[in-house]
């Protein structure tokens, strides 16, 4: 059975005081590692150390929202895998739609980051997802295939061991429009089939596929109830403990049945 992962992507939100308070509230709500539900927060870079300190010893893990593929050197503005490890990160989100569509990241760049993250011992959460126009043109599956093929180029099964994939339809991010449970399940099933074909069915059975895009306390359970949805990557609703804790609770409820 796959363990649920409920991850909060704080994006470019919070400050030191509000972020630390949020992290402390989450650490209190998830005081220890849960066998059924993993909890992760991904704050902005400047607060990683503070948030790490506020969650140390709790069941809340720490991740970053991006990383550069080079180890060190003259790369102004960038952050390396070892720096993230140094401040306590276990995870990194890569290929987020905002990186792809606002910053213009290509599958090739994302792939270099994915490989560097894995090589440096981070658990990579690779995000994929189609634009509304691509969905309407019937291209959802081909877009997912292209992003998965590009993002995981040269990544062996052994290297992909700790990989998590997040399906985030771009039209559902920050819009309040959530994919229906059927739309999510269909995309997730397609992704798992892609993993079966690219790797094998044993690995595909194990890899976790999160849904992201307007996940809220009132829709989290129905989405995560779908057979191929193994958790959530939450934006807006991860910024308030009163919203995020019930989403973790929804995963716990599902895990206990
Ligand atoms: P929202 O939950 O705000 O739609 O954001 C989703 C997301 O992009 C998570 O990475």
């Amino acid at each position: 059975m796959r363990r649920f992962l409920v991850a909060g992507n704080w994006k470019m939100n919070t400050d030191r005081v509000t972020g630390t308070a949020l992290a402390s509230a989450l650490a209190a709500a998830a005081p220890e590692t849960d066998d059924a539900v993993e909890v992760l927060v991904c704050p902005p870079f400047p607060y990683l150390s503070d948030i790490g300190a506020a969650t140390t010893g709790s069941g809340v893990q720490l991740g970053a929202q991006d990383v550069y593929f080079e180890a060190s050197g003259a790369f102004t503005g960038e952050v390396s895998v070892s720096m993230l490890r140094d401040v306590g990160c276990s995870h990194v989100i890569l290929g987020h739609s905002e990186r792809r569509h606002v910053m213009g990241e290509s599958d090739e760049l994302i792939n270099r980051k994915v490989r560097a993250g894995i090589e440096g011992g981070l658990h990579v959460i690779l995000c994929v997802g189609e634009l509304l126009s691509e969905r309407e043109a019937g291209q959802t599956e081909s877009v997912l295939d292209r992003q998965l093929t590009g993002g995981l180029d040269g990544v062996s099964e052994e290297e992909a061991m700790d990989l998590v994939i997040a399906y985030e339809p771009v039209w559902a991010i920050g819009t309040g429009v959530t994919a229906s449970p059927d739309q999510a399940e269909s995309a997730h099933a397609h992704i798992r089939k892609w993993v079966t074909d690219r790797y094998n069915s044993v690995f595909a059975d194990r890899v976790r596929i999160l849904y992201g895009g307007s996940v809220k306390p009132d829709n989290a359970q129905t989405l995560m109830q779908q057979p191929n949805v193994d958790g959530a990557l939450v934006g807006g609703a991860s910024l308030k403990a009163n919203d995020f804790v019930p989403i973790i609770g929804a995963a716990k409820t599902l895990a206990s049945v």
Side-chain angles (χ1 to χ4, degrees):
M1 166 127 177
R2 295 182 292 268
R3 194 168 163 217
F4 281 106
L5 172 59
V6 178
N9 174 8
W10 294 4
K11 308 192 180 183
M12 200 169 73
N13 294 297
T14 69
D15 56 26
R16 192 137 61 101
V17 171
T18 57
T20 307
L22 174 57
S24 301
L26 298 178
E32 48 196 50
T33 308
D34 189 302
D35 286 343
V37 180
E38 245 181 286
V39 180
L40 170 72
V41 291
C42 302
F45 288 135
Y47 307 129
L48 285 170
S49 290
D50 288 294
I51 304 307
T55 52
T56 298
S58 77
V60 180
Q61 304 173 87
L62 187 69
Q65 300 171 17
D66 188 27
V67 75
Y68 198 54
F69 60 83
E70 293 284 1
S72 66
F75 303 100
T76 302
E78 297 296 336
V79 167
S80 73
V81 172
S82 62
M83 290 173 187
L84 294 184
R85 295 285 307 265
D86 199 21
V87 294
C89 287
S90 50
H91 291 67
V92 65
I93 297 170
L94 291 172
H96 190 276
S97 83
E98 287 140 23
R99 302 294 321 170
R100 293 177 188 270
H101 300 294
V102 182
M103 315 304 166
E105 289 195 6
S106 64
D107 284 316
E108 191 195 348
L109 174 59
I110 293 162
N111 176 250
R112 295 183 86 163
K113 294 180 173 190
V114 167
R115 286 191 290 166
I118 291 173
E119 206 170 292
L122 288 171
H123 297 203
V124 167
I125 301 176
L126 174 64
C127 302
V128 294
E130 81 287 1
L131 298 165
L132 183 59
S133 56
E134 292 166 334
R135 171 164 285 267
E136 287 172 347
Q139 295 166 349
T140 300
E141 294 185 351
S142 61
V143 169
L144 298 179
D145 291 352
R146 188 187 71 226
Q147 293 175 344
L148 289 164
T149 304
L152 294 173
D153 187 32
V155 177
S156 68
E157 179 189 349
E158 200 188 349
E159 288 165 333
M161 198 89 85
D162 295 319
L163 176 78
V164 174
I165 298 169
Y167 170 61
E168 297 207 317
V170 181
W171 47 272
I173 296 178
T175 57
V177 179
T178 315
S180 69
D182 284 351
Q183 284 172 323
E185 173 58 19
S186 157
H188 282 232
H190 178 80
I191 292 169
R192 205 173 300 283
K193 165 90 173 44
W194 184 92
V195 176
T196 305
D197 295 345
R198 164 73 167 81
Y199 294 95
N200 56 66
S201 60
V202 176
F203 177 63
D205 213 35
R206 213 162 42 74
V207 74
R208 287 175 299 178
I209 308 173
L210 313 184
Y211 170 79
S214 296
V215 175
K216 308 287 176 209
D218 62 358
N219 61 25
Q221 191 160 334
T222 343
L223 286 160
M224 290 191 284
Q225 204 163 17
Q226 303 308 308
N228 284 296
V229 179
D230 308 311
L233 181 53
V234 187
S238 72
L239 295 171
K240 287 190 193 141
N242 285 345
D243 287 335
F244 196 56
V245 172
I247 296 174
I248 299 168
K252 284 191 181 175
T253 302
L254 290 167
S256 68
V257 290

